[in-house]
């Protein structure tokens, strides 16, 4: 098992090194061959490990592979914890990554950075595998930072574009904010648990919680140790998984090539925060404050980021804002202690979101890299495979019955409805409203791109055709789980013993346990859905999209004109970027200028350096007047000194 796990992790790294360092010698075909083989090996072996753990009953693997350093009582180690949660993530990450690698051959075939791109995406896969397979906080932090680094490289892959450089720096800086909180959370674990090993930390949590240990934050404020650690970890998850207000980097990540957009949004980077909180469930269950914060932040992201998807004109930006909204759903599930539902939605979302991004990329290829939906229309007759697969992805995204997203999204809505935590009422309203919004912007994209009149020029029409097989085959392979994976896995993942001993849930928080009594199979759930409020809200969104963007396309412009301030607010993305630019970016520049002007120029240079020199110079000038060189001046000085000394002697 140890050798197999090492191979799973190192195969993509080996491919990345070969493509990166020897890309010129290998050529294009050699670069994509070694990286695809590396990821293929990881996927096949991950599937083997999945079978062994889930079907054959092989015990959980939790061992140290390598001791990096030993300082005092602390061991800094590289180790693997492979349980049902881990193998689920390993299989999803490697499968989606494999599809993206194959797709990239067609999408990037004319790009001069072909070998470099393959090296980066294979390195991305390695980094994510190190993160999800970690059995200690040190390795988790390594994987955490590694996926951030590679995302920075990939978002700014086209480094000659100023917008790409701006986007990758933005992603890097925003994630540093989240990572600072994450590092504080890990520091709290080290300080109060005395170990970095997951198993040891989780075993000590009940004792720490029962001791009511507190941390003096400021003044007389004492916060629970568990709550402070959880909030630190939560801030880290907010950065990686792009939750409000640390969401601003994710839409700009569209500056990278489409394959990396699919990989970031579906299987790596943004899923890291969801996975981490699910892994840390034994800690989070002892802090209702942290759970409520997770619930409220997720609900806010789900609803308000969905609104922004409705007004976007860029096809990739619409899919990007849908990712933000769906990540909000996952946070809501985690906050409601329905961790299994959050991971379940992470899995189904990985397939249909990768499908949607790659299908959008197929459209962009056909449109000669045009991304504005206002210049598309009627593409279904030119690109039938892309249309059908994107339709499947869209139905999964909006939660249409029998599709994968239906099972995971509906269970999150039901779970938060059962929750009694603070903020659950607001969260329930937000996720229900998000059902309508998701259906609206998803079918808006579908109608604008594939239906209606053709809004492109004759030159584009003459070159329009279905994408090559290397592009559409991954779409078909992703469409299959986007339909079936939800129905097939809902029972074992949510109502079986799949996550027993892996995810911890307090009995008072066990909302999925309450829902288990109402579950009578995936088919019955789908049939029953047609009579639920959620379905009719979703159907209303589809109907409004059909009416506004297909039947009566003049209506949206009229509404936008009448909405005025609200429409402007949405188009400016709630002015979040403007606020960050004015307050943090320009504020930092002004603070730096002030420090330079007053601290450096006036205090250090003016007072300390030049001031000390001026003082010495002035004192020296006085001494120079005393040192005249005339003997009678010195004799007079000695006489005055002698008189003064005698006077002091007698008087004192």
């Amino acid at each position: 098992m140890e050798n197999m796990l090492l191979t799973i992790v190192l195969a993509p790294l080996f491919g990345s090194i070969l493509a990166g360092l020897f890309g010129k010698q290998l050529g294009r075909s050699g670069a994509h061959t070694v990286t695809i083989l590396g990821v293929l090996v990881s996927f096949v072996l991950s599937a083997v490990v999945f079978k062994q753990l889930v079907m054959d009953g092989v015990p959980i693997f939790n061992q140290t592979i390598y001791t990096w350093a030993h300082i005092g009582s602390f061991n800094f180690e590289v180790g693997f914890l492979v349980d049902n949660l881990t193998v689920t993530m390993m299989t999803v990450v490697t499968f989606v990554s494999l599809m993206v690698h194959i797709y990239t051959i067609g999408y990037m075939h004319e790009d001069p950075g072909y070998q470099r791109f393959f090296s980066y995406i294979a390195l991305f896969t390695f980094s994510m595998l190190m993160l999800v397979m970690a059995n200690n906080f040190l390795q988790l932090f390594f994987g955490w930072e590694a996926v951030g680094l590679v995302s920075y490289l990939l978002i700014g892959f086209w480094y000659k574009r100023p917008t790409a450089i701006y986007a990758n720096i933005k992603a890097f800086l925003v994630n540093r904010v989240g990572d600072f909180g994450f590092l504080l959370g890990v520091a709290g674990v080290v300080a109060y648990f005395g170990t970095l090993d997951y198993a040891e930390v989780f075993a000590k949590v009940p004792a720490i919680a029962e001791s009511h240990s507190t941390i003096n934050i400021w003044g007389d404020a004492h916060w629970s140790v568990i709550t402070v650690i959880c909030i630190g970890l939560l801030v880290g998850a907010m950065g990686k998984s792009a939750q409000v207000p640390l969401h601003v980097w994710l839409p700009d990540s569209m500056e990278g090539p489409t394959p990396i957009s699919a990989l970031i949004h579906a299987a790596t980077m943004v899923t890291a925060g969801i996975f981490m909180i699910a892994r840390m469930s034994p800690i989070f269950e002892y802090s209702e404050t942290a759970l409520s914060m997770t619930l409220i932040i997720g609900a806010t992201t789900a609803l308000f980021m969905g609104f922004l998807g409705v007004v976007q004109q860029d096809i990739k930006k619409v899919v990007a804002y849908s990712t933000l909204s769906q990540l909000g759903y996952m946070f809501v599930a985690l906050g409601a202690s329905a961790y299994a539902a959050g991971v379940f939605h992470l899995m189904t979302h990985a397939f249909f979101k990768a499908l949607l991004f790659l299908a959008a990329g197929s459209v962009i290829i056909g449109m000669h890299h045009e991304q504005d939906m206002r210049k598309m229309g009627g593409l279904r007759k030119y690109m039938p495979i892309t249309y059908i697969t994107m339709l499947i992805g869209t139905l999964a995204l909006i939660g249409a019955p029998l599709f994968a997203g239906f099972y995971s999204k509906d269970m999150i809505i039901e779970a938060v409805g059962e929750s009694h935590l603070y903020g659950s009422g607001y969260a329930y309203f937000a996720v229900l409203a998000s059902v309508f919004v998701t259906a609206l912007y998803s079918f808006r994209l579908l109608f604008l791109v594939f239906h209606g009149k053709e809004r492109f020029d004759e030159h584009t029409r003459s070159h329009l055709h279905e994408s090559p097989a290397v592009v559409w085959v991954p779409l078909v392979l992703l469409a299959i789980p986007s339909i079936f994976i939800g129905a097939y896995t809902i029972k074992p993942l949510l109502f079986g013993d799949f996550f027993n001993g892996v995810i911890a849930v307090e009995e008072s928080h066990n909302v999925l346990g309450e829902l288990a009594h109402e579950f009578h199979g995936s088919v019955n759930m789908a049939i029953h859905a047609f009579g639920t409020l959620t379905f009719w809200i979703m159907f209303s969104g589809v109907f409004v999209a059909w009416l506004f963007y297909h039947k009566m396309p003049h209506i949206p412009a009229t509404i936008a004109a009448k909405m005025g301030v609200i429409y402007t607010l949405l188009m400016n993305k709630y002015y979040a970027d403007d606020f960050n630019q004015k307050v943090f970016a320009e504020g930092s520049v002004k603070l730096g200028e002030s420090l330079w002007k007053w601290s450096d120029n006036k205090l250090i240079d003016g007072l300390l350096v030049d001031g000390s020199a001026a003082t010495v110079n002035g004192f020296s000038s006085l001494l120079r007047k005393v040192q005249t060189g005339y003997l009678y001046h010195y004799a007079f000085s000695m006489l005055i000194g002698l008189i003064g000394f005698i006077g002091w002697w007698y008087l004192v």
Side-chain angles (χ1 to χ4, degrees):
M1 177 67 83
E2 181 178 324
N3 290 335
M4 192 183 300
L5 296 176
L6 280 169
T7 304
I8 290 171
V9 168
L10 295 178
L13 177 63
F14 183 67
S16 173
I17 292 171
L18 287 178
L21 298 182
F22 306 102
K24 288 185 178 180
Q25 291 80 1
L26 291 171
R28 291 183 168 231
S29 61
H32 72 235
T33 299
V34 294
T35 51
I36 289 174
L37 279 176
V39 177
L40 177 62
V41 168
S42 289
F43 169 64
V44 171
L45 293 181
S46 295
V48 171
V49 175
F50 185 94
K51 178 182 179 297
Q52 290 179 347
L53 259 71
V54 176
M55 300 177 184
D56 299 342
V58 173
I60 291 171
F61 183 92
N62 185 12
Q63 290 183 24
T64 297
I65 304 299
Y66 173 74
T67 300
W68 178 51
H70 180 80
I71 303 173
S73 61
F74 280 94
N75 291 323
F76 298 94
E77 300 168 336
V78 176
F80 296 144
L81 169 59
V82 181
D83 52 23
N84 287 8
L85 175 60
T86 307
V87 293
T88 301
M89 291 296 298
M90 288 164 59
T91 309
V92 170
V93 168
T94 52
F95 177 74
V96 172
S97 179
L98 179 61
M99 295 301 102
V100 171
H101 275 70
I102 295 170
Y103 176 94
T104 300
I105 296 173
Y107 192 88
M108 300 289 288
H109 73 282
E110 295 179 352
D111 197 284
Y114 190 86
Q115 293 97 316
R116 178 166 58 94
F117 189 82
F118 272 97
S119 175
Y120 286 171
I121 58 177
L123 185 62
F124 213 161
T125 307
F126 159 75
S127 303
M128 192 66 185
L129 286 171
M130 285 293 286
L131 188 156
V132 301
M133 294 171 67
N135 74 343
N136 62 82
F137 283 91
L138 177 69
Q139 187 175 328
L140 174 69
F141 187 71
F142 166 79
W144 196 264
E145 293 302 314
V147 293
L149 169 64
V150 183
S151 69
Y152 167 81
L153 295 173
L154 283 164
I155 293 169
F157 179 79
W158 287 319
Y159 55 85
K160 293 184 179 179
R161 298 181 181 180
T163 51
I165 298 303
Y166 176 82
N168 74 348
I169 291 174
K170 185 177 181 180
F172 186 80
L173 292 176
V174 172
N175 273 277
R176 296 292 68 75
V177 176
D179 292 355
F180 179 70
F182 182 71
L183 195 56
L184 290 178
V186 174
V189 169
V190 172
Y192 287 88
F193 291 88
T195 180
L196 290 167
D197 185 82
Y198 288 166
E200 293 178 20
V201 170
F202 297 160
K204 293 179 180 180
V205 169
I208 296 288
E210 289 172 9
S211 69
H212 301 291
S213 299
T214 59
I215 298 176
N216 181 213
I217 304 296
W218 63 78
D220 296 326
H222 290 266
W223 285 30
S224 161
V225 166
I226 299 294
T227 295
V228 171
I229 290 172
C230 287
I231 291 175
L233 297 176
L234 172 61
V235 172
M238 288 167 60
K240 276 290 178 289
S241 296
Q243 297 295 289
V244 172
L246 301 181
H247 66 283
V248 292
W249 69 270
L250 192 60
D252 286 5
S253 70
M254 298 300 97
E255 289 294 334
T258 297
I260 194 52
S261 300
L263 200 54
I264 288 177
H265 287 244
T268 59
M269 188 70 171
V270 297
T271 60
I274 310 299
F275 166 80
M276 184 271 290
I277 294 181
R279 174 62 79 197
M280 299 300 148
S281 61
I283 305 177
F284 273 78
E285 279 301 284
Y286 285 91
S287 175
E288 290 197 352
T289 301
L291 289 174
S292 289
M293 286 182 65
T294 307
L295 194 64
I296 293 168
I297 290 167
T300 303
T301 305
L303 181 58
F304 288 92
M305 293 303 105
F307 286 145
L308 296 184
V310 177
V311 299
Q312 297 300 311
Q313 306 298 347
D314 186 312
I315 186 172
K316 285 175 64 177
K317 287 285 182 73
V318 176
V319 186
Y321 279 108
S322 83
T323 300
L324 285 168
S325 183
Q326 297 307 304
L327 289 168
Y329 271 93
M330 297 175 209
F331 259 68
V332 166
L334 299 172
S337 291
Y339 303 98
V343 174
F344 183 38
H345 195 49
L346 183 157
M347 179 191 68
T348 61
H349 176 264
F351 295 118
F352 64 72
K353 185 49 59 68
L355 171 59
L356 287 170
F357 263 114
L358 298 186
S362 178
V363 170
I364 293 168
I365 293 172
M367 293 294 298
H368 299 284
H369 295 278
E370 176 59 65
Q371 296 182 198
D372 192 333
M373 297 187 297
R374 292 170 295 186
K375 299 178 182 179
M376 300 179 188
L379 292 184
R380 63 175 177 166
K381 66 181 180 182
Y382 299 100
M383 309 181 76
I385 299 175
T386 300
Y387 170 67
I388 292 169
T389 53
M390 194 156 200
L391 176 61
I392 290 170
T394 300
L395 291 170
L397 172 63
I398 69 172
L402 293 173
F403 288 83
F406 158 72
Y407 294 100
S408 55
K409 184 188 283 189
D410 266 38
M411 291 316 304
I412 291 174
I413 295 170
E414 293 297 323
V416 73
E418 291 288 332
S419 176
H420 300 291
L421 288 171
Y422 179 80
S424 58
Y426 163 71
Y428 185 65
F429 163 77
V431 292
L432 268 181
S434 296
V435 172
F436 174 85
V437 177
T438 303
L440 177 60
Y441 67 66
S442 299
F443 269 83
R444 170 180 177 264
L445 183 153
L446 209 65
F447 288 128
L448 287 177
V449 174
F450 294 100
H451 294 266
K453 65 178 182 179
E454 299 171 1
R455 298 182 296 278
F456 42 82
D457 57 37
E458 192 59 40
H459 175 73
T460 302
R461 182 181 291 105
S462 64
H463 290 83
L464 261 177
H465 56 80
E466 185 58 82
S467 297
V470 74
V471 170
W472 65 254
V473 168
L475 300 184
V476 173
L477 293 176
L478 285 166
I480 295 169
S482 297
I483 300 172
F484 299 110
I485 196 75
Y488 182 72
T489 58
I490 181 172
K491 186 174 181 179
L493 263 63
L494 300 192
F495 306 116
D497 57 0
F498 190 84
F499 289 124
N500 281 2
V502 178
I503 290 175
V505 180
E506 289 292 300
E507 191 57 40
S508 59
H509 297 162
N510 192 10
V511 290
L512 290 179
E514 295 294 323
L515 294 174
H517 305 297
E518 303 172 13
F519 181 75
H520 302 291
S522 58
V523 176
N524 284 334
M525 180 178 173
I527 294 171
H528 174 70
F530 290 98
T532 62
L533 176 63
T534 305
F535 172 80
W536 289 106
I537 292 174
M538 180 267 292
F539 181 80
S540 299
V542 175
F543 175 77
V544 171
W546 171 80
L547 183 66
F548 283 12
Y549 298 101
H550 184 63
K551 198 68 176 175
M552 305 173 71
H554 64 279
I555 292 180
T558 305
I559 294 176
K562 291 184 177 179
M563 286 178 68
V565 175
I566 297 176
Y567 181 74
T568 304
L569 183 68
L570 294 176
M571 288 301 295
N572 286 280
K573 299 172 286 188
Y574 306 118
Y575 293 97
D577 286 332
D578 300 84
F579 177 82
N580 291 334
Q581 183 67 29
K582 290 289 182 183
V583 176
F584 295 112
E586 294 181 13
S588 297
V589 171
K590 289 180 180 178
L591 177 63
E593 289 177 346
S594 299
L595 290 173
W596 164 75
K597 183 177 180 180
W598 296 100
S599 299
D600 194 45
N601 250 14
K602 296 196 174 183
L603 178 62
I604 297 174
D605 284 347
L607 181 61
L608 298 181
V609 178
D610 293 342
S612 60
T615 302
V616 171
N617 185 53
F619 187 67
S620 300
S621 298
L622 291 174
L623 289 178
R624 278 200 303 272
K625 293 179 180 179
V626 176
Q627 302 294 330
T628 63
Y630 292 110
L631 184 61
Y632 62 88
H633 283 171
Y634 296 145
F636 180 73
S637 298
M638 292 171 63
L639 180 62
I640 295 297
L642 180 62
I643 293 171
F645 178 74
I646 293 171
W648 176 79
W649 177 269
Y650 279 101
L651 292 175
V652 177

